[in-house]
Amino acid sequence: MKQKKPKNDRALRFYNQVLGLDHLHYGIWNEDDELTIANLKIAQQRYEDLIVDAIPDGVTTILDVGCGTGELSKRLANAGYQVEGLSPDINQKDLYSIKTNGRPFHFYRFEEFKPTLRYDCIIMSESGQYIPIEMLFTTAALVLNPGGFLINIDYFVLDNADGVLGKSGHNLNRYISEADNNNFTMIIDNDITAKIVKTLDFSKQLVERGFIAFDIATEKFRYKHPIITKIINYLIRRKKQKINDEMILLNSKKFTEVKKYILFMFQFQNKT
Ligand SMILES: C[S@@+](CC[C@H](N)C(=O)[O-])C[C@H]1O[C@@H](n2cnc3c(N)ncnc32)[C@H](O)[C@@H]1O
């Protein structure tokens, strides 16, 4: 298969370099947590704890797929695991090496990865949704030792989802049947939707405040140059409409109607 262009994900750089987040995933919130960046960081730590606690005894080698900033790998390496990272994002390549003190990094999309060794466990923390569903388990089967584990924590789309809400995330039923068809037996199915949705409320608040800040910053210009403002508004009208339409992605009520956020663990049994 032809190697695709490396990714350079600006949204992830924003979370990391602007918001100062080490984790690029949702968080697990307490009911009474206020929507603050400090609480988001604590919530993301709880999410990471959930993953680490799920790793079965006896696992020594781990492939951290879509390893982001390398934060989870750093923790796993410190805990004594032989961890390696994989990501198609050029910015994450150097970061990973610094974070993990030079642990091996594979600069690939998972679906294009040709492993030279097999691992006891694969972890996909909010990265599985980017891997084409028909390649996810077939590639995982090439990467894992027989009896190895796949931990995938992510959101999944229900059959009733439509519009922009239905566009990101794998269809839950399709995902489960692909796992079954490829000899992956489900061991953990932990629905954490109710605990993660505050991440959306926090993001929505952040975006709305960004709009207000933009409004304040441009107020003088708009007052002084009404005609130019009209022209600019006309030129960017489609972009504005798209942003408005996509605000539904941050609506936590809608999210719970059409998506589920789940920690899955599967065990791979090679039956051939
Ligand atoms: C939302 S971030 C999650 C990062 C990290 N796992 C975490 O939990 O903080 C998604 C990650 O998936 C990676 N990714 C995107 N497409 C991928 C693919 N086809 N194969 C492997 N990783 C991919 C991105 O580069 C990024 O590292």
Side-chain angles (χ1 to χ4, degrees):
M1 191 189 299
K2 193 169 158 269
Q3 177 102 16
K4 291 187 208 153
K5 246 179 86 200
K7 284 168 80 95
N8 175 0
D9 196 320
R10 278 182 284 277
L12 300 186
R13 282 175 64 203
F14 177 80
Y15 297 133
N16 184 226
Q17 294 169 8
V18 180
L19 297 185
L21 297 175
D22 281 324
H23 301 277
L24 307 175
H25 51 68
Y26 283 55
I28 295 184
W29 298 72
N30 292 328
E31 256 175 54
D32 52 355
D33 282 346
E34 279 179 41
L35 300 177
T36 63
I37 193 102
N39 281 341
L40 171 62
K41 287 183 182 178
I42 296 169
Q44 288 184 318
Q45 203 55 50
R46 283 190 207 105
Y47 177 109
E48 189 186 272
D49 293 345
L50 192 74
I51 299 173
V52 175
D53 292 347
I55 300 170
D57 290 344
V59 164
T60 55
T61 53
I62 299 180
L63 183 66
D64 182 0
V65 171
C67 53
T69 63
E71 195 63 20
L72 174 66
S73 283
K74 179 174 129 190
R75 175 163 170 185
L76 296 174
N78 288 340
Y81 292 106
Q82 298 295 310
V83 64
E84 302 187 3
L86 178 146
S87 171
D89 188 314
I90 191 84
N91 296 294
Q92 292 166 20
K93 191 170 181 267
D94 298 335
L95 201 54
Y96 191 83
S97 181
I98 297 164
K99 266 281 172 69
T100 63
N101 220 353
R103 296 289 317 155
F105 177 88
H106 305 278
F107 184 38
Y108 284 100
R109 284 180 164 78
F110 182 65
E111 62 275 23
E112 293 167 352
F113 182 48
K114 305 271 181 294
T116 52
L117 59 98
R118 287 181 180 249
Y119 303 79
D120 298 332
C121 184
I122 295 171
I123 298 180
M124 295 178 184
S125 161
E126 239 175 69
S127 56
Q129 61 175 274
Y130 301 102
I131 300 163
I133 185 77
E134 63 285 358
M135 303 287 288
L136 194 154
F137 291 100
T138 51
T139 310
L142 299 174
V143 169
L144 283 177
N145 284 315
F149 300 91
L150 167 64
I151 297 173
N152 187 4
I153 178 163
D154 212 331
Y155 55 78
F156 296 87
V157 178
L158 306 180
D159 291 337
N160 62 336
D162 58 5
V164 279
L165 275 166
K167 281 192 182 149
S168 66
H170 291 310
N171 175 279
L172 182 60
N173 287 329
R174 166 101 196 266
Y175 180 82
I176 291 171
S177 70
E178 284 285 338
D180 194 42
N181 292 341
N182 286 283
N183 303 325
F184 282 77
T185 309
M186 193 191 297
I187 297 175
I188 298 178
D189 170 6
N190 183 5
D191 183 345
I192 53 169
T193 314
K195 296 178 185 160
I196 59 85
V197 284
K198 267 196 169 192
T199 316
L200 290 170
D201 298 331
F202 174 78
S203 305
K204 185 161 177 274
Q205 173 186 281
L206 197 71
V207 171
E208 283 168 355
R209 286 186 180 172
F211 288 154
I212 295 170
F214 181 78
D215 204 56
I216 294 168
T218 57
E219 193 173 56
K220 201 165 162 194
F221 178 90
R222 285 183 282 121
Y223 180 73
K224 276 180 140 181
H225 309 284
I227 311 255
I228 299 177
T229 301
K230 262 194 175 168
I231 295 170
I232 293 174
N233 276 338
Y234 178 76
L235 292 175
I236 63 167
R237 67 195 186 286
R238 288 209 181 87
K239 193 93 191 151
K240 274 171 104 178
Q241 187 58 47
K242 189 164 180 259
I243 291 170
N244 270 340
D245 294 348
E246 288 185 350
M247 279 305 282
I248 198 171
L249 292 171
L250 302 180
N251 183 321
S252 53
K253 188 167 173 291
K254 289 272 177 221
F255 182 97
T256 45
E257 283 166 13
V258 298
K259 292 191 182 191
K260 272 188 195 295
Y261 206 112
I262 302 177
L263 181 143
F264 278 120
M265 183 160 79
F266 300 93
Q267 187 165 27
F268 172 55
Q269 299 294 357
N270 194 350
K271 292 181 187 155
T272 55

